[in-house]
Amino acid sequence: MIQCLHAMLFLSVLVAFAACDAPPVPLDDILIEKTFVPEQCVRAVKVGDYVRYHYNGMFPDGKKFDSSYDRGTTYNVFVGKKQLIAGMDKALVGLCVNERVLVKIPPHLAYGKQGYGEIIPADAILHFDVLLLDVWNPEDGVQIKTYHTPSPCSRKVEVSDYIRYHYNGTLLDGTLFDSSHTRMRTYDTYVGIGWLIAGMDQGLLGMCVGEKRIITMPPSLGYGENGDGSDIPGQASLVFDVVLLDLHNPKDGITVTNQVVPESCTRKTVTGDFVRYHYNGSLLDGTFFDSSYSRNHTYDTYVGKGYVIAGMDEGLIGACVGEKRTVIIPPHLGYGEEGTGSKIPGSAVLVFDIDIIDFHNPTDNAVMTTVHKPEECDKQTKKGDFIKYHYNASLMDGTSIDSTHNYGKTYNIVLGANQVVPGMEDGLMEMCVGEKRHLVIPPHLGYGERGVDDEVPGSAVLVFDIELVELEEGLPEGYMFIWNDDVSPDLFTEMDTDKNAEVEPSEFTDYIMLQVSEGKGRLAPGFDPNRIIDNMFSNQDRDGDGKITEAEFRLKADEAPHDEL
């Protein structure tokens, strides 16, 4: 002992104890050394809390007498209710999840003079290396922390809604046990009707699409005493990091919003109409899946006839040309539980931003509106007349197609000769020189389903603003040439200028052109005179030998109608 005292005088305390193998200094109370403190401590253990922790139990010399790690399970217990040795009951209070401490407990706060069987000797100081993993209280409910709220939020999750969401699920210490992200598929379920653990059923209520929140729940609202038998231990608090992507109710119909209606709307779509529209299609969280704009072609379809999904069939009814609207379609009116594969997931709400380009009905006629009519109107256009007019042509959305003003000349046709589309034929009838009209022509009276390459889209309604500039009266129906004066009784003789009793093509042509130039006869206006005369000659040359004899020659009045004299 004297040697020990001398050693203590001249050497350090640590060396003296080691050399003399002295007993440890007695502890009056527990001693806690913090070996790891987490950056954040959202919650500290209080008396009455239930905790899950790992530990290694050791004697001061480092000899291990017990370990939760060796058993492969945490130690789970209420704190402050005498379910632990007094020193541990005291040491756990105030700890944070993921905090690690070395707890030194004197015998009177451990197993005292009696020890614990053959494991803990009497009057033993105990050291515990403790890692706190979980804490909750029987009075705990679901805790919600929202860290992103979208704006606006027009609707929130209610009981019986069907939602699609992504989540990361962790234990309170951050251990990941599940994630929808790793499966690359949302979790889809009804809310509030028992399809989920109670804490999640509660925690999802009131969320907006796009909202992100942390949902923390005690085991009583999670997987309870037994856990899930795999990744979630018994009595574990659960933490879910959730983002809501989709929300609907099976009772939902379509929703039409963001309507931009043009000031002039004389007609709205009805069942049976054929509609041309552009759209952008996205999911409720904004994920893009399709666009007609990217294809540079409208989507063209009948409405109300089942050619498109039910929600779109309904959403296109009652729209005006030029109207823009957003149609929100629940999955039972869209692509249902199956979706479309890679682009549209099952049970997805669809959002279509729609622009109505034009529409018509297969029963439509051309619609003519007189914009200006001169006070004097002696003649009106009819079939066979040769007319000259100006026009500006556009689509229903105002897109310009063509204009005669661009070329500095009129467009010239013979009415009734199929030189323009049927709707234009109708729109130009019974028109005065100087009159202006506005024509709306449905595609079946215009350029039909095919349209005109690079000019007129298929199934497009056409709009023409026309002005009649000149009118030359046509010949009676069935005639390509008429006499203005009485017909000469020596007509054949007058044609036969070389007096060989045969009329050659040149003689025939020269004679007809002379009658026209002298005002004695008229050719049908708007056609090639030479072609008319050639046709007249062919009708008289009945044997086809290239010349007309007097026996072949007849006036039109003497036989069945055809285009000749």
Side-chain angles (χ1 to χ4, degrees):
M1 179 64 69
I2 296 175
Q3 291 179 347
C4 287
L5 289 174
H6 280 286
M8 291 176 65
L9 290 173
F10 297 103
L11 299 175
S12 69
V13 175
L14 182 60
V15 174
F17 272 94
C20 301
D21 196 20
V25 178
L27 295 174
D28 294 329
D29 199 354
I30 63 170
L31 181 63
I32 299 176
E33 297 179 6
K34 297 179 181 291
T35 56
F36 178 79
V37 179
E39 292 183 4
Q40 292 185 341
C41 181
V42 178
R43 178 174 179 173
V45 177
K46 296 179 180 180
V47 172
D49 283 346
Y50 192 92
V51 297
R52 293 191 312 109
Y53 63 95
H54 268 306
Y55 71 89
N56 283 315
M58 302 165 290
F59 297 116
D61 63 359
K63 181 180 179 181
K64 184 168 65 175
F65 61 81
D66 192 16
S67 173
S68 62
Y69 295 99
D70 293 343
R71 293 191 297 273
T73 181
T74 56
Y75 195 81
N76 308 334
V77 69
F78 282 100
V79 177
K81 293 192 175 184
K82 298 183 179 180
Q83 297 179 1
L84 292 162
I85 58 175
M88 186 62 80
D89 241 358
K90 188 176 182 180
L92 290 170
V93 174
L95 292 187
C96 302
V97 173
N98 286 327
E99 185 171 353
R100 188 170 182 176
V101 296
L102 178 61
V103 182
K104 299 178 181 180
I105 304 175
H108 66 281
L109 296 178
Y111 292 98
K113 295 183 178 300
Q114 295 181 353
Y116 186 80
E118 297 180 356
I119 300 175
I120 310 292
D123 293 323
I125 296 174
L126 305 181
H127 291 185
F128 288 91
D129 183 358
V130 177
L131 174 60
L132 186 67
L133 299 180
D134 201 343
V135 55
W136 54 271
N137 193 282
E139 296 181 1
D140 286 349
V142 172
Q143 300 174 44
I144 296 172
K145 179 182 178 181
T146 297
Y147 63 93
H148 174 72
T149 302
S151 179
C153 175
S154 59
R155 178 174 179 177
K156 297 181 178 182
V157 176
E158 298 178 0
V159 171
S160 80
D161 282 343
Y162 192 91
I163 65 172
R164 297 191 310 109
Y165 64 97
H166 270 305
Y167 70 89
N168 286 320
T170 62
L171 304 180
L172 207 58
D173 67 342
T175 301
L176 181 72
F177 62 79
D178 193 17
S179 174
S180 62
H181 297 281
T182 59
R183 295 191 296 274
M184 300 182 67
R185 181 177 178 83
T186 55
Y187 196 85
D188 310 338
T189 185
Y190 287 97
V191 178
I193 61 173
W195 282 31
L196 294 162
I197 54 177
M200 189 61 85
D201 250 354
Q202 295 177 31
L204 291 167
L205 293 176
M207 287 193 78
C208 307
V209 170
E211 182 176 338
K212 298 177 182 180
R213 59 170 54 172
I214 304 293
I215 302 171
T216 306
M217 64 194 71
S220 59
L221 298 176
Y223 289 93
E225 295 182 6
N226 299 321
D228 70 346
S230 176
D231 299 310
I232 301 174
Q235 300 290 27
S237 300
L238 305 179
V239 181
F240 289 92
D241 189 344
V242 175
V243 55
L244 185 66
L245 300 183
D246 203 338
L247 160 65
H248 77 276
N249 193 282
K251 297 179 181 178
D252 287 348
I254 68 165
T255 302
V256 178
T257 62
N258 301 330
Q259 289 177 275
V260 179
V261 182
E263 293 183 3
S264 176
C265 178
T266 58
R267 175 175 172 183
K268 296 183 178 182
T269 54
V270 298
T271 297
D273 282 344
F274 191 88
V275 182
R276 295 175 55 247
Y277 64 97
H278 270 303
Y279 70 88
N280 284 319
S282 62
L283 305 181
L284 207 56
D285 67 342
T287 302
F288 172 85
F289 63 80
D290 193 19
S291 174
S292 61
Y293 296 100
S294 64
R295 295 187 293 275
N296 198 30
H297 194 288
T298 55
Y299 195 87
D300 309 336
T301 186
Y302 288 97
V303 295
K305 296 285 190 178
Y307 287 95
V308 290
I309 56 176
M312 187 61 82
D313 241 359
E314 185 179 348
L316 290 169
I317 297 295
C320 307
V321 170
E323 180 174 339
K324 297 180 180 180
R325 54 170 55 177
T326 298
V327 181
I328 302 174
I329 302 174
H332 54 276
L333 297 176
Y335 292 98
E337 295 181 4
E338 300 300 322
T340 62
S342 59
K343 289 189 176 181
I344 300 177
S347 299
V349 177
L350 308 178
V351 181
F352 289 94
D353 290 310
I354 294 171
D355 185 1
I356 305 294
I357 303 302
D358 74 18
F359 67 88
H360 72 279
N361 195 281
T363 62
D364 286 348
N365 294 315
V367 177
M368 183 273 290
T369 303
T370 298
V371 178
H372 169 74
K373 192 167 187 175
E375 294 181 1
E376 295 184 7
C377 181
D378 297 331
K379 294 181 180 180
Q380 291 185 323
T381 56
K382 65 181 184 306
K383 188 176 181 180
D385 287 349
F386 180 62
I387 63 172
K388 299 180 180 181
Y389 63 97
H390 274 300
Y391 70 80
N392 289 316
S394 64
L395 303 179
M396 285 288 279
D397 65 348
T399 301
S400 178
I401 299 174
D402 195 15
S403 175
T404 55
H405 298 284
N406 294 337
Y407 311 115
K409 59 181 181 180
T410 58
Y411 197 78
N412 310 329
I413 66 165
V414 177
L415 273 176
N418 297 321
Q419 295 176 353
V420 289
V421 296
M424 182 62 81
E425 289 267 23
D426 295 340
L428 289 166
M429 291 292 182
E430 299 179 356
M431 197 172 181
C432 308
V433 172
E435 185 174 343
K436 297 178 181 179
R437 288 180 176 179
H438 182 77
L439 295 181
V440 180
I441 300 175
H444 52 275
L445 297 176
Y447 292 101
E449 294 181 6
R450 297 186 61 181
V452 179
D453 289 345
D454 300 324
E455 293 185 35
V456 180
S459 299
V461 178
L462 306 178
V463 179
F464 286 91
D465 289 300
I466 57 177
E467 178 184 5
L468 186 63
V469 175
E470 189 174 322
L471 162 63
E472 183 178 347
E473 191 172 1
L475 303 186
E477 187 172 358
Y479 287 81
M480 297 298 286
F481 174 84
I482 60 172
W483 294 96
N484 293 329
D485 298 326
D486 292 336
V487 181
S488 170
D490 297 324
L491 190 57
F492 181 83
T493 302
E494 293 175 6
M495 288 185 181
D496 183 19
T497 55
D498 61 3
K499 307 305 178 185
N500 65 349
E502 294 177 345
V503 174
E504 303 289 336
S506 60
E507 292 175 313
F508 188 86
T509 297
D510 291 344
Y511 183 81
I512 295 299
M513 293 299 290
L514 178 64
Q515 307 311 303
V516 171
S517 65
E518 293 179 351
K520 297 178 181 179
R522 287 185 62 214
L523 291 168
F527 297 98
D528 182 356
N530 291 318
R531 292 189 65 181
I532 293 176
I533 295 172
D534 288 345
N535 189 48
M536 292 170 62
F537 182 88
S538 297
N539 288 336
Q540 294 292 330
D541 181 15
R542 301 174 194 282
D543 60 7
D545 62 354
K547 53 184 178 286
I548 303 172
T549 64
E550 191 169 5
E552 291 175 307
F553 189 79
R554 295 188 186 90
L555 293 176
K556 188 175 183 70
D558 298 333
E559 58 183 341
H562 48 74
D563 296 334
E564 56 175 44
L565 293 176

